[in-house]
Amino acid sequence: MVAVNSHTEEDRRSASTEKLATLVQTRTATLSKYTSLAGQRPFSEQADLSNVLREFCETLIDYTASAHFQLYRYIAEKMERRTAVREIASQVYPHIIKTTDTILNFNDKYENIMSCNKRNELCKTLDEDLSHLGEALAERIHFEDQVISAIAGEVVH
């Protein structure tokens, strides 16, 4: 019976590690697309932002979904049994939800900017909204890193 429990624990840890790898991969892709989009500054109606902005919004949503529907659901469904991981996750999750709201608001506003009749107006607000989003992403990463550290067995401060 010990071997079965040990194998199950090993499977759980492997699953949480896999979910972390997906999170980090989608996060890295998002930051890369963010940098590409920010590099298009100053934004103007004449600039060809459509592909860069569309790809960024898609990647941003993939990243957000990866965290919520893989990692946090895994923890919430008590598949992760380590108390330290569950405690850190429950402490940081409200902060991550707040950043999710910022992400979803940005996506809703800009995902269809090129087909929108308010394109000129949105180009004027994109710089400020992108900066606000960057702050939210930095905050989110800070909190996610606490969960990642707990899963990796590191001491979290």
Side-chain angles (χ1 to χ4, degrees):
M1 196 59 123
V2 174
V4 171
N5 287 341
S6 176
H7 182 64
T8 303
E9 182 67 25
E10 194 174 297
D11 289 344
R12 267 195 223 93
R13 295 232 173 145
S14 176
S16 63
T17 301
E18 181 180 314
K19 291 175 186 316
L20 279 182
T22 301
L23 172 67
V24 171
Q25 181 181 21
T26 59
R27 180 166 88 178
T28 301
T30 299
L31 294 175
S32 175
K33 298 287 183 187
Y34 179 91
T35 301
S36 293
L37 179 58
Q40 300 287 320
R41 287 178 171 135
F43 303 117
S44 70
E45 187 176 358
Q46 291 77 30
D48 186 19
L49 293 172
S50 58
N51 288 335
V52 175
L53 193 52
R54 180 184 44 76
E55 288 176 9
F56 173 67
C57 285
E58 288 172 5
T59 306
L60 183 65
I61 294 304
D62 288 346
Y63 162 53
T64 305
S66 173
H68 284 288
F69 297 118
Q70 287 194 38
L71 183 62
Y72 295 112
R73 179 181 287 169
Y74 179 80
I75 293 169
E77 291 174 352
K78 299 196 176 20
M79 296 299 294
E80 174 60 63
R81 292 189 175 187
R82 291 174 284 180
T83 303
V85 175
R86 289 195 326 263
E87 286 176 357
I88 291 295
S90 69
Q91 289 171 14
V92 303
Y93 194 67
H95 301 286
I96 289 174
I97 288 293
K98 196 170 95 176
T99 66
T100 299
D101 291 342
T102 301
I103 289 167
L104 294 177
N105 289 337
F106 182 92
N107 182 70
D108 290 348
K109 186 173 182 178
Y110 291 102
E111 71 178 331
N112 295 314
I113 188 174
M114 295 308 140
S115 62
C116 178
N117 61 0
K118 295 181 180 180
R119 181 177 175 188
N120 190 33
E121 180 183 320
L122 291 176
C123 283
K124 291 178 183 175
T125 60
L126 180 57
D127 191 39
E128 183 178 333
D129 289 343
L130 193 60
S131 292
H132 181 66
L133 178 65
E135 292 170 6
L137 289 172
E139 181 179 346
R140 180 184 189 95
I141 288 167
H142 167 74
F143 290 116
E144 285 175 350
D145 283 349
Q146 291 180 37
V147 176
I148 290 169
S149 293
I151 289 172
E154 298 171 6
V155 176
V156 180
H157 300 289

